[in-house]
Amino acid sequence: MHTPARSWPWFYALILIVAVVATRFLWLDHDLWSLDEGSTFTMAQQVLKGDVLYRDAADNRSPLMPYLKAAIFAVFGDWNSTAVHRTIAVMLGVVAFLLGWIATKLDGRRTGIATAAIFVFLQIFYVHAGDTMSANTEWFVVIFSTAAFALFAGWIAQPGFRRGLPIGFLFSLSVLCKQPGLLDGIVVFVLLALIAWFQVDQRKGLFKMASGIAVGIVVPFALVVGYFIYHGAYEDYVYYAFTFNTAVYLPEVPFWERMLCIRMPFVMAWENVAAIGLLAIIGAVGLLNQVSKHAFKSASSPFPLLPWLTLGWTAAGLITTTLSGREFAHYSQQVIPGLSLAAGWMLVRLPAWMPRRLPKLGQVALLAFAVTIVVQGVFRFGEIKTELDIAMNDRIDIPDLIRAHSAPDERIFVWGYFPELYFHAKRLPATRYIYANYITGMIAWSNLDALQDVEYGVSPDGWEKFYQDFESTPPAVIVDTQGVRGYSKFPIENREPLWTQIKQNYAEVSVGAKATFGMRIFRQLENITGSTDIISAQSPHPDFTLTGFITQRENNVPRIEVHAPSGYNQLALIIDGRIVSRLNHPESDELHARLFVPGNPFEAKQVWVRATGPAGVADSPPFNYAD
């Protein structure tokens, strides 16, 4: 006899939440764990400020996650990634409880306790450290799908249309977080079909429940479509969330190479949680044996829902790992609930599988497995702590420079594949392209060969939309990430008319700083309309230096490089007595900038820079390119 589900006390939930939070506690205050977080947190902040996903923030993820994070920001404060990480930790504790409840409902309390405990181990130890701490799409899929399966397991004994609605709604949220969440929903329909096949008398109720689930899935999608139509973003939604993924992103990796990615869950199980992995595999074989035996029993025999649900849910997670063709660890997170159920089911049966003439051997084996899991967990925790502590102290300096050269309400543009800079600098994007891949044609980590044509990866009308955004909201700061993450193939100097805009309207600042990866920062110049007076040079300030700067790079032009002490908040570039450009600068920092010289600098008779600020007015020595 199975223990009734109501005997799974609610204080278990509190215990499991505390346990999960405890495993993550040391690192919950870290602001950012991954590039993907840089994208989704930035999009969340955009949503909070009134932007619309896909129309104002191009990204090929499903739409819900940035809006969920925006909701958390709305409650706990702008850019509050810590609140997101803490929320996910709490929700994973809830997932542990729901998995334990499912196992208790379908197989008894001991299986429930074992399943919940194993999930607490796997959620922190199974996936590589940075991925498991990151607030990525897969965790949201696990959260919503687990809640849906829990309702399904609880209500399947008395199926009906109304009970199907919330199940479908939760699966819909799962899919809206990541498209492969649809596979979890398909598992439920397969389960309903199997139950209907074996239990003819329940077909009417099962059909009603299936109809309710279908409606529950469709309605949120309809609302999402209506939202994007209302905001004029429907075509962008279709392109980025569907067309780009199926026509550009997935085909970039050959089919059989994508299929090989199914090995990743097994590799991580072997490397990180070998004892639990072995237990789950043995359990999967045992569960498969259960469903095979049931197929040949009479129709009146109880339907083995736990084996079918576990195998189907795990299969959905394994298929998910093959879809993108990239062996990223977080793609395997959707396997964790199924592994927990299989390992939990097997753990409580281990004593019974031992030879009857050695009754104590089963108890010894059970104890040995438990000790092995704990010991392996201790060593794994040490590995994770080492890796995550390094990440906690890995600080980049360029966000500080961006903040120094821009106001909080000013928007910036990052050229390259480094969306984290928006988050770290706490500055919103000036264009919809929070990373430039959609206008350069770069497919992440794939088409980086210098000779490979990448035009097929450029979004339709991508450059036109970019310049519309750029002209309507000129960025206060432009960051050139140089060759980071494959962008040596896409130098900003080769992008016209963008580079011309930079030469005419921007100056490179913080040149002397040791910017991360050699990135460059360009600050927008001030308007000098009406400045026609002829200015005479003063005696040069002894601490000012002025030199010509020429780089041998395609499409680059000579510039003037100025260095001066702090205390000045504005620079004016003066050619033959006329101000040709003016640059604001934080007075607390030393001046070190490179200014583009308009026209032909070799024809200028005299070039100098005048600095003004609390320290007074000071001129640099003159410079003549012709000398």
Side-chain angles (χ1 to χ4, degrees):
M1 291 291 292
H2 295 163
T3 306
R6 62 177 177 272
S7 68
W8 183 254
W10 287 99
F11 67 77
Y12 281 11
L14 180 59
I15 293 172
L16 292 167
I17 289 171
V18 170
V20 171
V21 171
T23 64
R24 295 167 170 262
F25 183 76
L26 294 176
W27 310 287
L28 285 178
D29 290 342
H30 187 54
D31 51 7
L32 205 67
W33 290 108
S34 68
L35 179 158
D36 289 344
E37 280 194 328
S39 299
T40 54
F41 286 144
T42 299
M43 289 186 285
Q45 192 65 33
Q46 287 182 265
V47 167
L48 201 59
K49 298 302 181 182
D51 288 354
V52 175
L53 188 61
Y54 305 120
R55 185 193 71 186
D56 304 314
D59 190 73
N60 58 303
R61 293 173 181 82
S62 291
L64 184 57
M65 194 170 67
Y67 287 85
L68 292 174
K69 292 182 176 180
I72 296 174
F73 287 176
V75 174
F76 296 101
D78 290 353
W79 301 103
N80 195 340
S81 60
T82 297
V84 176
H85 294 141
R86 291 175 178 175
T87 299
I88 287 178
V90 170
M91 294 308 300
L92 290 178
V94 175
V95 168
F97 170 78
L98 293 175
L99 285 172
W101 187 89
I102 291 171
T104 298
K105 175 73 176 177
L106 303 180
D107 199 61
R109 183 188 293 180
R110 289 195 305 161
T111 304
I113 293 174
T115 297
I118 287 172
F119 179 83
V120 172
F121 270 79
L122 292 181
Q123 59 82 30
I124 188 68
F125 296 145
Y126 175 63
V127 181
H128 298 335
D131 288 276
T132 199
M133 294 302 301
S134 178
N136 48 53
T137 53
E138 289 78 13
W139 279 140
F140 285 87
V141 172
V142 167
I143 291 166
F144 289 122
S145 289
T146 301
F149 278 119
L151 290 183
F152 176 77
W155 290 343
I156 190 61
Q158 295 179 311
F161 180 83
R162 290 184 179 180
R163 289 187 164 189
L165 287 174
I167 297 172
F169 176 75
L170 288 168
F171 278 126
S172 185
L173 297 184
S174 182
V175 179
L176 288 170
C177 286
K178 187 179 181 182
Q179 294 94 333
L182 179 62
L183 295 172
D184 292 345
I186 292 174
V187 169
V188 161
F189 286 106
V190 172
L191 293 176
L192 288 169
L194 287 169
I195 296 170
W197 175 265
F198 288 105
Q199 299 179 3
V200 178
D201 58 323
Q202 291 192 13
R203 286 182 179 176
K204 184 177 180 180
L206 293 170
F207 178 78
K208 289 181 178 179
M209 176 173 270
S211 300
I213 293 173
V215 172
I217 291 175
V218 169
V219 169
F221 271 102
L223 293 174
V224 167
V225 169
Y227 169 83
F228 287 120
I229 290 175
Y230 177 79
H231 288 286
Y234 176 71
E235 291 184 0
D236 295 310
Y237 167 52
V238 171
Y239 175 75
Y240 288 109
F242 298 99
T243 306
F244 178 87
N245 286 321
T246 57
V248 181
Y249 186 71
L250 294 184
E252 190 66 24
V253 179
F255 175 79
W256 289 113
E257 189 174 331
R258 292 205 303 273
M259 294 301 102
L260 284 175
C261 292
I262 200 170
R263 66 187 176 182
M264 194 62 184
F266 300 96
V267 170
M268 287 194 299
W270 173 253
E271 293 179 348
N272 300 334
V273 287
I276 296 178
L278 178 61
L279 200 63
I281 291 174
I282 297 173
V285 173
L287 291 168
L288 188 61
N289 183 55
Q290 291 275 312
V291 300
S292 300
K293 288 181 177 178
H294 176 264
F296 298 99
K297 290 183 178 180
S298 64
S300 61
S301 61
F303 181 80
L305 182 55
L306 181 65
W308 275 113
L309 188 152
T310 302
L311 293 171
W313 198 351
T314 306
L318 289 173
I319 294 171
T320 295
T321 65
T322 68
L323 294 179
S324 74
R326 280 83 173 171
E327 290 187 327
F328 298 144
H330 57 87
Y331 287 169
S332 298
Q333 284 171 336
Q334 288 172 238
V335 177
I336 295 176
L339 292 182
S340 302
L341 287 166
W345 181 88
M346 185 64 235
L347 189 61
V348 300
R349 283 164 173 76
L350 202 58
W353 283 32
M354 293 296 123
R356 293 183 178 180
R357 64 179 181 276
L358 299 171
K360 292 186 178 181
L361 184 60
Q363 298 176 5
V364 172
L366 185 62
L367 179 61
F369 256 105
V371 171
T372 301
I373 290 171
V374 171
V375 171
Q376 190 173 41
V378 170
F379 281 103
R380 177 69 181 137
F381 188 83
E383 295 174 352
I384 289 174
K385 187 176 186 304
T386 299
E387 183 177 341
L388 295 184
D389 285 350
I390 292 172
M392 291 277 282
N393 296 317
D394 187 14
R395 178 175 171 79
I396 59 177
D397 58 352
I398 198 164
D400 295 331
L401 303 177
I402 296 171
R403 284 192 296 271
H405 289 283
S406 61
D409 60 342
E410 290 182 314
R411 296 200 174 209
I412 69 172
F413 172 66
V414 177
W415 174 262
Y417 190 26
F418 216 104
E420 305 99 302
L421 290 183
Y422 295 107
F423 173 84
H424 286 305
K426 303 298 184 286
R427 298 291 185 266
L428 291 177
T431 80
R432 71 193 69 195
Y433 299 107
I434 55 178
Y435 45 94
N437 297 3
Y438 298 114
I439 50 177
T440 61
M442 173 183 161
I443 310 300
W445 323 117
S446 300
N447 55 355
L448 301 180
D449 190 305
L451 300 179
Q452 184 177 356
D453 181 24
V454 295
E455 284 302 311
Y456 65 91
V458 177
S459 300
D461 302 321
W463 280 107
E464 290 83 353
K465 293 175 180 176
F466 169 77
Y467 286 115
Q468 288 173 8
D469 296 346
F470 193 96
E471 292 169 6
S472 64
T473 311
V477 166
I478 295 175
V479 182
D480 175 21
T481 60
Q482 299 270 53
V484 179
R485 294 174 181 163
Y487 263 75
S488 57
K489 183 175 178 176
F490 310 99
I492 197 170
E493 289 90 345
N494 291 352
R495 300 293 157 168
E496 293 292 358
L498 174 59
W499 184 238
T500 295
Q501 287 269 17
I502 294 173
K503 289 187 293 185
Q504 292 175 349
N505 300 312
Y506 292 82
E508 185 180 352
V509 293
S510 293
V511 175
K514 295 180 180 179
T516 307
F517 306 121
M519 296 181 186
R520 298 183 293 176
I521 303 174
F522 296 93
R523 168 67 202 189
Q524 188 180 26
L525 299 171
E526 298 300 305
N527 191 338
I528 60 168
T529 303
S531 178
T532 59
D533 295 339
I534 299 297
I535 298 174
S536 299
Q538 301 178 163
S539 298
H541 191 289
D543 293 329
F544 278 56
T545 61
L546 192 70
T547 58
F549 178 79
I550 302 176
T551 57
Q552 303 301 317
R553 296 180 68 173
E554 187 178 4
N555 297 327
N556 226 322
V557 295
R559 283 177 275 172
I560 285 291
E561 182 169 320
V562 58
H563 181 78
S566 59
Y568 301 94
N569 54 26
Q570 192 174 80
L571 290 178
L573 176 61
I574 303 169
I575 299 179
D576 294 339
R578 296 183 185 277
I579 296 177
V580 297
S581 61
R582 184 181 287 121
L583 172 70
N584 285 341
H585 195 281
E587 64 188 53
S588 59
D589 296 349
E590 289 188 355
L591 296 169
H592 202 163
R594 291 174 185 157
L595 297 91
F596 293 96
V597 182
N600 185 349
F602 294 97
E603 294 179 354
K605 296 178 181 178
Q606 195 174 54
V607 178
W608 79 91
V609 169
R610 171 164 293 177
T612 59
V617 178
D619 284 356
S620 71
F623 183 83
N624 190 340
Y625 269 97
D627 291 344

